[in-house]
Amino acid sequence: MIRKFLTLPVCLFPALAVAAPPAAPAKDKQLVIVSFDGAHDNALWDKSLALAKRHGAHFTYFLSCTFLMTKADGKASYKAPGQKRGRSNVGYAQDRHEVAARAGHIWRAHLDGHDIGSHACGHFDGKGWSEADWKQEFSSFRTALVDAWKRAGRPEAEPEGWADFARTGITGFRAPYLSLSDGLVPAIKAFGFTYDASLVTKGPAWPRAGDELPRFGLPLIPEGPSRRPVIGMDYNLFIRHSMGIENKKDSARFEERTLEAFRNAFIREYDGERIPLQLGFHFVEMNGGAYWRALDRFLTEACGKPDVACVSYAQALPLIERARKKADGSAF
């Protein structure tokens, strides 16, 4: 956003015009960045895309690549570092029809302007992985995406441009479990990713710019009666609210607590420094869908406000860079 200074002439006497003081510089847009890890359940693909359209928002989908292959495919072609061939912590597609439906959702999201990122493949903890290990996992991800329509048994249905998208259109990464190692950043850069979203920060924060790679972090936000900080992600709220045990009976209460936490974190930034607010979700409706309902209500409130942009990580990057240049780097 270009900051404008307005000069308003005020006629105090016929021969004298006095300029009013310049108006305060306009603030930059408040960014709200919502992402989904896993991106598997096809019904929730439909639900999330409708949610985005309803609110004029764009999301980032961090895809786990084993959902683009069947278990038989995995046994034949996927081996995570340090694991037995074919093993996956999150399973596989049930059949080829499911793979085709998921590939179709990915392409639809891409055409709608959403950001498709990598969440690796089998959702393993990479805290002990070397650079070579991460590269191996990234290579498996790329191959799975390139071959998705073939593995679905529908090579004739592959959209024009799919192969190029699969090879060069995945620009962001989030590590499973938000678990890192020294080998991760070099591997990310070697594969041409333009950002990483695997960090956790004490509160909403600008992305770190070290290693010539923007690195985003999900923030700790105050939540509940005691306002204890919790990572702004549905799974962490699920653990906080019900110790990770499904509790539909108290779903409405969990929804209200979550909405209040999101709302307060947003207002603090919107009325303050306008640091981007990042919120993370999964393709699982935990505690009876409490967190997805809270997200829907929050986006209803936030995305329609003046100077708010509900954007993906890929869309946020140039906006953040422009703000950084205006601030001479003082805010980063």
Side-chain angles (χ1 to χ4, degrees):
M1 180 189 302
I2 299 174
R3 298 182 180 180
K4 298 179 179 178
F5 296 85
L6 303 179
T7 302
L8 302 177
V10 180
C11 296
L12 301 180
F13 303 96
L16 178 63
V18 178
K27 288 186 175 183
D28 292 299
K29 282 186 179 294
Q30 174 64 51
L31 304 185
V32 175
I33 307 172
V34 173
S35 56
F36 295 90
D37 291 3
H40 59 294
D41 188 306
N42 281 310
L44 292 181
W45 266 109
D46 283 327
K47 187 170 183 174
S48 68
L49 290 169
L51 179 70
K53 186 165 291 188
R54 188 159 62 248
H55 298 299
H58 288 93
F59 301 143
T60 293
Y61 296 93
F62 291 111
L63 173 69
S64 297
C65 89
T66 55
F67 297 127
L68 291 176
M69 57 184 87
T70 63
K71 190 171 184 177
D73 293 329
K75 286 183 176 180
S77 62
Y78 173 58
K79 184 181 184 305
Q83 303 295 329
K84 293 181 179 179
R85 181 171 294 279
R87 187 183 169 197
S88 167
N89 274 351
V90 290
Y92 292 92
Q94 294 298 306
D95 52 38
R96 299 196 182 284
H97 175 74
E98 182 185 329
V99 174
R102 185 165 297 115
H105 280 122
I106 291 168
W107 189 243
R108 175 183 160 196
H110 169 66
L111 293 180
D112 283 353
H114 297 286
D115 177 25
I116 309 299
S118 171
H119 198 43
C121 285
H123 208 275
F124 292 103
D125 187 338
K127 67 177 179 292
W129 285 3
S130 66
E131 179 180 348
D133 291 334
W134 283 109
K135 286 180 176 178
Q136 176 184 327
E137 187 79 346
F138 293 162
S139 181
S140 295
F141 178 94
R142 184 170 291 172
T143 298
L145 197 59
V146 169
D147 292 346
W149 292 96
K150 180 172 65 177
R151 284 186 170 146
R154 300 281 307 282
E156 76 286 350
E158 180 177 310
E160 184 178 355
W162 175 271
D164 183 63
F165 157 73
R167 293 189 178 97
T168 65
I170 309 302
T171 61
F173 175 73
R174 173 173 287 155
Y177 307 108
L178 304 178
S179 187
L180 316 175
S181 74
D182 290 342
L184 176 59
V185 169
I188 285 175
K189 293 168 70 175
F191 265 75
F193 294 123
T194 60
Y195 71 86
D196 170 55
S198 304
L199 303 180
V200 175
T201 56
K202 290 184 178 180
W206 298 104
R208 299 179 188 175
D211 299 313
E212 300 178 352
L213 179 77
R215 303 193 70 193
F216 292 89
L218 289 169
L220 290 165
I221 59 174
E223 189 276 336
S226 66
R227 296 183 60 79
R228 280 194 302 133
V230 65
I231 296 174
M233 194 173 217
D234 57 357
Y235 178 75
N236 301 84
L237 290 159
F238 180 48
I239 297 298
R240 164 73 60 84
H241 293 160
S242 62
M243 296 188 297
I245 299 171
E246 184 68 17
N247 179 356
K248 295 183 179 180
K249 177 175 65 71
D250 294 320
S251 182
R253 180 166 62 88
F254 299 147
E255 176 186 345
E256 293 301 326
R257 281 181 55 161
T258 299
L259 177 60
E260 182 180 14
F262 291 172
R263 181 188 287 146
N264 290 341
F266 170 83
I267 290 173
R268 180 176 179 177
E269 299 308 324
Y270 185 67
D271 292 342
E273 297 182 40
R274 298 271 174 105
I275 297 172
L277 177 63
Q278 302 168 58
L279 300 172
F281 291 81
H282 292 79
F283 266 27
V284 180
E285 294 184 293
M286 306 166 199
N287 279 339
Y291 310 111
W292 277 58
R293 293 197 308 274
L295 174 63
D296 192 0
R297 292 170 65 189
F298 170 70
L299 294 180
T300 299
E301 294 180 7
C303 295
K305 287 185 179 293
D307 291 335
V308 173
C310 296
V311 296
S312 69
Y313 280 108
Q315 291 172 321
L317 279 172
L319 299 174
I320 290 172
E321 177 62 16
R322 187 163 62 190
R324 184 192 69 79
K325 288 180 178 178
K326 282 202 301 184
D328 280 334
S330 60
F332 295 80

